[in-house]
Amino acid sequence: MTSRRLFLKSSAVAMFGVGSAPAWLSRALYAADSPSPRKKILVAIFQRGAVDGLNMVVPFGEKRYYSLRPNLAIPRPDGTENSAIDLDGFFGLHPALAPLKPIYDAGHMAIVHAVGSPDPTRSHFDAQDYMESGTPGRKATSDGWLNRALAPQESPSPVRAVSLGTALPRSMRGQNEAVAIANLNDFQIKDTRGAGTFESMYENSLDQVLNGAGRETFEAVKLMQSIQGQPYTPAGDVQYPNSPLGQSLMQIARLIKSNVGLEVAFAEMGGWDTHFNEVGARPTVGQLANLLGQFGSALAAFYQDLGDRMADVSVITMSEFGRTARENGSRGTDHGHANVMFAFGGGIRGGKVHGQWPGLEQEQLYEQRDLQLTTDFRDVLGELVVRHLGNSQVASVFPGYELPKFRGIVAG
Amino acid sequence: MKKFGITLTLIAAAVLAAYSTDYSQFERPLSDDQKILHALNRLTFGPRPGDVEAVQKMGLKKWMDQQLHPERIVENPLVAERLKPLESLHMSPAEIATNYPPPQVVRAMTSGLLPLPKDQEARQRVELQAQRLRAKQDGKADGQGKQGKGADALQQAMRQQVLAASDPVERRKLVADNAPQQVLPYDLNEAKLYRAIYSNRQLEEQMVDFWFNHFNVFLDKGADRILTSSYEREAIRPHVFGKFRDLLEATAESPAMLFYLDNWQSVSPDRIQEGGRRGLFAKQKAKQARGLNENYARELMELHTLGVDGGYTQNDIVEVARCFTGWSINQPNRGGEFIYNDRVHDKGEKIVLGVKIPAGGGKEDAEKVLDILARHPSTARFISTKLAKKFVADDPPPALIEQMAKTFRDTNGDIRAVMSTMVDSKEFFSEGAFRAKVKTPLELIVSAARATGAQVDFAVPLATQIAQLGEPLYRKVEPTGYSSANSEWVNSAALLARMNFALALAGDRVPGVRVDAGAPDNSVATVARQLLFREPTQQTLDSIEKALAQKEPTPALVAGLVLGSPDFQRR
């Protein structure tokens, strides 16, 4: 602790000279001294490609689930790894998500079922766009919900909003500074002779687009210098999986622990579009099981690594839409409607499957084929924005959706 | 008459005002010099030294006309020379499957289900791979391998150094022995970059890039690894200036697309019972109940033709999917070809966008769908808009789009004619379009190689850089392809990577690429002018001069700073 604080202070002096450190850095230093005024942090994870929520959180108490999915259904809990993990006598976790069960039992993981976007589109592109803009059905929205979720601030940290990856996702775009970082260690001008000159060029450029992006870049570069060069050791014996999501979450954890002013972070995982061979020889193995295995182990590692710090952190997972209730002809599922979301964190009211279950009988299905929506995704995200991030301006975060119905996911 | 004209203008102005977007910038013409630079920036991957003068000499009109008719342009012999060793480019998918076998094929070959390759070298390779597969199965240790970051990035950098030092034939053998399937992305990436950097038929290469991206497939989705080469070569390239309808059908029938969007698996649920399966895999296949798959039908309308607001419904998607049942592939993993399987085709009546397709049809059901879609006005508008966004500006003026869409409709989707309309328009050569586009990663890196007159002997390291900037070639997972919008490419991490690339390239530190930064006594302004083909902005010039006043200015550093400057990021 002391060493990091000293390091931060000395790098602040090195960067800005005594007495001229900007406000965000003073805050970071202050935070390193005392945990009390730490900011709340929201981490959003997007499962791109539309995960099959009905196999992620299995409604094993629903008879029709088994008749709709003769080849795909996860068997009812029987205590073996080839069956669902019982949560509440009706829902069960896919067995590949076993690493998450202890978090659920500790009350730090909540599940929302039959949740999603009310827009009927079954286009990945549109549905992701709507979910990320936070305005289903409105294409003209130019910024993303996670960017708007940031409260106005004087002299904000240049890394208050970080996306792991090479491109800034739609969720993060907008007026507030947000950066995309593929790897914290690579975030620098490698040839020191060029750094200052590039900074001056972009800082003075009359090209509005490049000037803005350039300024953000160089502010973030400076801040990263305080982290780079120190090897990162996760807490205890936590091992992050070597998957892209695992590595992304490890870097987010590193940013959080460095107290550099992170408020919102974004990571993603693809490959969920399981039209074909979703399952292998058994319903509990194969493509989806592998993906969920990577997903669950990465999230569990993040939770364990942050330990007590999870008191300040909430993680929310989402996917653009669910998949057909009925399996298709190629051992897979097609584009559907409602889906499932996970929320993790010390402030999450976990150990519970939230939301209203609409049932899977033919007349209960959306357009007679998909899981019906009973919770709007903005109800969940809105609650996190208001009760976790403390931003009460929910109407500007989700324009056109002024009164989200909170489901009690965040402990009040 | 005149009065009527004024009234029309007033109405037009009112409409413009109602949409509140100001397109007046697209009314202001460019100077002659600006026009030449603009044409080179938009219709090529960026000017090379001497290009501006060459266009001046030939005349802009004639040069553009040539670019629209690539067969009239004498090709740079370097292209053929560089492509020659890249053997997989000329192979059929079946030959690729044999020579660069995926694991399933290796297993089939060693278990006697498939013949071993005749070629001695290829046969040795199969045996080597079979050994590795067995070891992996026994050990199961390195299950996660691949995705690592730190150590693997270093390894990758070292590997590229080693490969760059080898000659092309030796290099390919090294890659093929290590991982035969890796040759395929290497060959594709190299070929794309050699053509983009060296070809004299620049607009053709831009169009191949545009249409591949429009009809995107993902190289790493199973059999697409072996199907993508022939897809670009046979479905895309021959049609880039042709009739849209031909391009559409070529992609619809291509194994690469049928596999990527799952149509090869889509069968009529009603006909599964009738068929009666025979043969080796009958039992296994019978277990996998098959049915309708809507994936291709949806993307065909949303992304390939009508556009998402083009006026189709979920019901149309189902009907189109029914028309395409039976459009399939014969053994995709072995490089099989397109087959139409009438036994699984939906024989019922379908109604697509209000047009009745009578019961009892066969393969022609889907061809009728392609007819309906190709001549639908939404398609004319959607394709014209996308072209204008790529070649003119992110928010192109509606009048230009309408002009292009009209040509599309009038010529039955003649792509060359639509492009002619675009480059002949006043909007194309206007202030609104001039330097309005931020270069995509591919455009940035190729334009830098061209501007510096780089000698590229191994292009994979350049492809790696493009991937790091966010545009891995042939590896866009989503059927949307990459966006050409400025906002897509301007963000901190990518901007930083652009600056780092610029310094590395000019400093001659990119493996496989040789750059001569020029004479040491050139002034900053001279270097900048040579690379930008125009005067640098005062801000860029001042920043470089100020910085270098204190240091020893090497030509490489100056060039690197210019290539990483805001000035070089636009085209």
Side-chain angles (χ1 to χ4, degrees), chain B residues 313-325:
Chain B
T313 64
Q314 172 66 28
N315 198 45
D316 287 317
I317 293 174
V318 175
E319 297 291 282
V320 168
R322 291 176 60 213
C323 291
F324 271 96
T325 45

Side-chain angles (χ1 to χ4, degrees), chain A residues 318-346:
Chain A
M318 69 199 78
S319 193
E320 63 265 36
F321 41 66
R323 309 193 69 84
T324 45
R326 194 177 278 104
E327 66 185 40
N328 70 13
S330 42
R331 293 173 84 79
T333 44
D334 293 323
H335 301 178
H337 196 52
N339 208 337
V340 70
M341 290 170 90
F342 288 170
F344 302 86

Side-chain angles (χ1 to χ4, degrees), chain A residues 160-182:
Chain A
R160 70 189 301 214
V162 174
S163 159
L164 274 292
T166 48
L168 200 61
R170 178 76 144 98
S171 305
M172 278 278 195
R173 286 187 209 146
Q175 291 198 324
N176 289 301
E177 285 192 34
V179 292
I181 300 178

Side-chain angles (χ1 to χ4, degrees), chain B residues 156-205:
Chain B
Q156 187 185 9
M158 282 167 59
R159 195 162 55 230
Q160 293 196 342
Q161 294 278 7
V162 171
L163 292 175
S166 321
D167 76 80
V169 175
E170 182 62 22
R171 179 193 302 149
R172 293 181 86 265
K173 192 171 151 21
L174 280 172
V175 176
D177 285 350
N178 184 44
Q181 288 264 287
Q182 187 61 35
V183 173
L184 305 169
Y186 270 34
D187 282 0
L188 275 167
N189 275 286
E190 284 215 86
K192 187 176 179 84
L193 289 175
Y194 291 140
R195 284 176 159 134
I197 294 167
Y198 290 125
S199 177
N200 291 335
R201 299 162 179 169
Q202 282 282 303
L203 182 56
E204 182 178 36
E205 295 310 321

Side-chain angles (χ1 to χ4, degrees), chain B residues 418-470:
Chain B
V418 175
M419 289 297 286
S420 283
T421 299
M422 185 186 81
V423 299
D424 288 342
S425 71
K426 67 173 187 302
E427 290 90 346
F428 183 77
F429 288 110
S430 71
E431 280 182 16
F434 191 61
R435 296 178 57 73
K437 295 287 291 181
V438 171
K439 291 172 182 172
T440 63
L442 172 68
E443 287 163 349
L444 174 82
I445 282 180
V446 174
S447 67
R450 284 170 63 82
T452 53
Q455 183 188 329
V456 184
D457 297 304
F458 179 46
V460 168
L462 287 178
T464 305
Q465 295 276 355
I466 294 171
Q468 279 168 4
L469 295 186

Side-chain angles (χ1 to χ4, degrees), chain A residues 48 71 122-126 128 139 165-168 173 178-183 186-194 197-198 200-202 204-207 209-210 213-214 216-218 221 241-244 247-248 251 273 275-277 328-331 334-335 367 369, chain B residues 144-145 147-150 259 262 264-265 287-295 298-299 302-303 308-309 314 318 438 467-470 478 480 486-488 490-496 499-500 502-503 509 539-540 543-544 547 551 554 557 560-562 564-566 569-570:
Chain A
R48 291 199 195 277
N71 294 296
R122 290 191 181 90
S123 140
H124 292 297
F125 182 71
D126 272 357
Q128 289 181 17
K139 290 196 179 163
T166 48
L168 200 61
R173 286 187 209 146
V179 292
I181 300 178
N183 186 325
D186 290 344
F187 206 81
Q188 53 182 314
I189 295 283
K190 285 167 190 158
D191 186 331
T192 49
R193 295 172 305 167
T197 317
F198 278 137
S200 145
M201 273 184 217
Y202 280 83
N204 295 315
S205 175
L206 301 179
D207 185 323
V209 173
L210 291 165
E216 287 175 23
T217 304
F218 285 102
V221 164
N242 208 2
S243 63
Q247 296 302 304
S248 294
Q251 304 202 59
D273 197 13
H275 288 277
F276 175 63
N277 280 353
N328 70 13
S330 42
R331 293 173 84 79
D334 293 323
H335 301 178
E367 295 184 348
R369 48 176 269 167
Chain B
Q144 297 201 317
Q147 315 275 17
K149 292 215 165 142
F259 190 84
D262 308 308
W264 74 290
Q265 287 280 330
K287 248 168 68 183
Q288 303 176 5
R290 309 202 303 166
L292 196 66
N293 190 308
E294 301 168 3
N295 216 9
R298 175 182 299 104
E299 309 306 7
E302 177 188 330
L303 299 173
V308 70
D309 302 317
Q314 172 66 28
V318 175
V438 171
Q468 279 168 4
L469 295 186
E478 297 86 2
T480 51
N486 294 350
S487 59
E488 193 69 19
V490 179
N491 65 72
S492 299
L495 214 50
L496 208 53
M499 297 176 217
N500 280 322
L503 292 171
R509 291 195 305 273
Q539 292 76 17
T540 291
S543 298
I544 300 179
K551 292 175 199 151
T554 66
L557 182 58
L561 290 170
V562 172
S565 72
Q569 307 309 311
R570 288 192 179 261

Side-chain angles (χ1 to χ4, degrees), chain A residues 5-20:
Chain A
R5 200 176 70 223
L6 279 178
F7 179 77
L8 272 172
K9 280 187 171 159
S10 56
S11 50
V13 172
M15 271 188 274
F16 300 100
V18 185
S20 64

